[in-house]
Amino acid sequence: MSIFKPFAFKPLSFKPDTLKSVSPVALAISAALSSGYAFAAEPVNESATSDDMEVIVVTSDFRGASLEKMPSSVTVIDQQQIEDEGAQHFEEVLNSIANFNWSGGSSRPKYFQIRGVGEQEEYQGAPNSSVGYIIDDIDMSGLGMISSMYDLQQVEVLRGPQGTRYGANALAGLIYLKSNDPTDVFEHGAEVSVGDDDLTTFSGFSSGPLTDSGKLLYRVSLQQHKQNGYRDNLYLGVEDTNGRDEFTGRAKLRWYATDNLELDLTLLHADYNNGYDAWTLNNNGFDTLTDEPGVDKQRTSGSSLKLTYSGADAFELVSLTSYAKTEHHHGYDGDWANPDYWGELTCYGEACQYDYTWDKEGERKTVSQEFRLSSTEAGRIFAGSTDWLVGIYGMKLDEDNDTLEIYNGWEDALKAEYEAENLALFAQTDSDLGDGYTLSVGARVERRDSEYSDSAGDAFSPSETMWGGHIALSKTLSHTQQAYVRVARGYKAGGFNMSLPTELSDKKEYDTETLYNYEVGLKSNWLEGQASTNLSFFYMDRQDQQVSASQQNPDEPQKFILYTENAGSSHNYGAELEGNWYATDNLKLYATLGWLETAYGDYQYQDKYGGTVDLSGRELAHSPNFTYSAGATYRTDSGWFANLTTSGKSDFYYSDSNESKSEAYTIFNARLGYETDLWSAYLWGRNLFDEKYGTRGFYFGNEPDQDWADKQYIRYGDPRQLGLTVSVKFM
């Protein structure tokens, strides 16, 4: 039996339930053929009919559009690719996404950049993300570290403003994680991974019907992941101060209440109890000297409830309710050493005394409600040529933060409270203009009212009305190619800066940022469906660009003055190319390439000595000119399996406040194994050549014995790791 089947295209909405009669091996192979870089695939089942054929559906879209019909640059990484590459966390797949980067200022990635736009950290202030992050319709923007890949259906990354669909939190784009839905037949599985760095991961799932009628279905998945974190604390004599202790649990219920009413309930609980001991004074990267290692914890409980009513002739009604409560705690030893180390050095003629810690604990609650009406085939307007959709969205966010800084015994505490309410109206039409042309027009108007107060006496209550949207024209050039042109407008709310000194009093508030994205693209399949490519070119016009600035306090060098300001306009442009080729029945090849050019407009800032630094025309931080990846998966008819991937980036600036840069790097991963109908076993290696690469960098003075002279400090990514994974599945 051939492993890979030729493609076949059919405009059907994909439901995992359609595979209910397929064996576990066929399910795995079917998922492989539905790779995010392919347009469609035929499940491997000798008795399959044309009704089993599926298309890749972008579930974060209003209507669940097929990937090849989406008039925008979208990456979809499906479950089979995630499993083939052995990804346990989102961190392990993000390098395969073109023009995508992240800032390593936390134990797991939660600050992302798409096409050069995004946050690098969030030490203070109100949450205000440029990149949206959603897990099963639960908004986790700015809190994306709880990103287990186990039992995930697919990862979707939408590039460019998503002003119509997601509004203020998706100026740069959106990351959407979709877990597997309940099935109407019983499926169960378990997986164990062990590896160096004392890695142990235990995972399991169960899915099936809860009633004989098959109208109530469930799915539960659990994962517990632990490892030491690749750092040895030489001062304390332990090796787990940067460790990871991560639990993720998901539960789903699907109830077919009537023929016309479907309810989907999702429950999420994640408890990440990680250490944070990642920085060294001598930049060795992996041997630390801290006496009070930091923490990076996040405990999230969330839920979403989706009601779909299809009983009306002209429209379908969707209600989407979500709730999330997150307790987060981030702290670090800011002197990166210990009293014994500093006491042996001389500062101003006597033994150094330097002891600094920073700690922030917070709680965030969000509640949102969305209603939307979308046309059915019978409800189309303009002589049946146009689908329509209208909706309303409301969200309430509350966040309390307690920040504590301790410097040589002196304490500086700040308690802050923030509340925001958003209300948005949105609409979209999708029209068939004939002769292969399709026009999509969408708009969103959003009102935000917020209040902030803290124990230092700062108080703000900004309110504003923002709008965004898109116009996209698609043209079917042939049955194998579709071109599109898209113009989108995104927005990011303005805000405020707290605890600023008098000399920066003019920077208390900053304005809304607006981004116009102009994009053209071509989606193609070749060789009778055996190969596919997605190509896009874009130009981004950022107006009133928000920039995170920082100044080291010359009077208290252990402290930084952090603030956000507007930097005029800037322009980013570039391209993305994704390709997928089933070279033989057993061999799949895939690759991505991103090209990005960024530059500030007219932007100057003051350094800690009062001098002027001019960044006009300089590249933006965390914006490598090139990102690239390639992979190959080979499966024999007898069950042997191999996967090899490589990915890398060109160099990039670490910060908007200095000239510190990373080095270019390339890393390689591999996975070898044997697969049967019931069990599989794999040997795997990540970063096989032990590449030492930076994920975050600072350039400032942190050594009093050197008179606080500025110096580059680098946080490095994970070194080489080898391991074994065994999994079982049964029905």
Side-chain angles (χ1 to χ4, degrees), residues 18 34 52 139 174 251 254 295 335 425 430 602 636 648 688 706:
T18 61
S34 63
D52 292 315
D139 192 343
L174 177 79
R254 172 168 289 177
V295 298
D335 60 89
L425 300 174
D430 297 281
D602 184 11
T636 68
L688 289 175
Q706 302 296 321

Side-chain angles (χ1 to χ4, degrees), residues 117 161 171 488-491 513-517 540-543:
V117 181
L171 174 80
R489 186 185 197 271
Y491 52 88
E513 178 179 346
T514 303
L515 191 155
Y516 289 90
N517 185 81
M540 304 171 74
D541 180 9
R542 300 179 68 180
Q543 300 179 2

Side-chain angles (χ1 to χ4, degrees), residues 150-151 182-183 186-189 204-208 218-222:
Y150 183 68
D151 200 36
T183 54
F186 285 108
E187 299 176 356
H188 317 284
F205 79 92
S206 177
S207 180
Y218 81 95
R219 190 177 193 97
V220 176
S221 64
L222 306 172

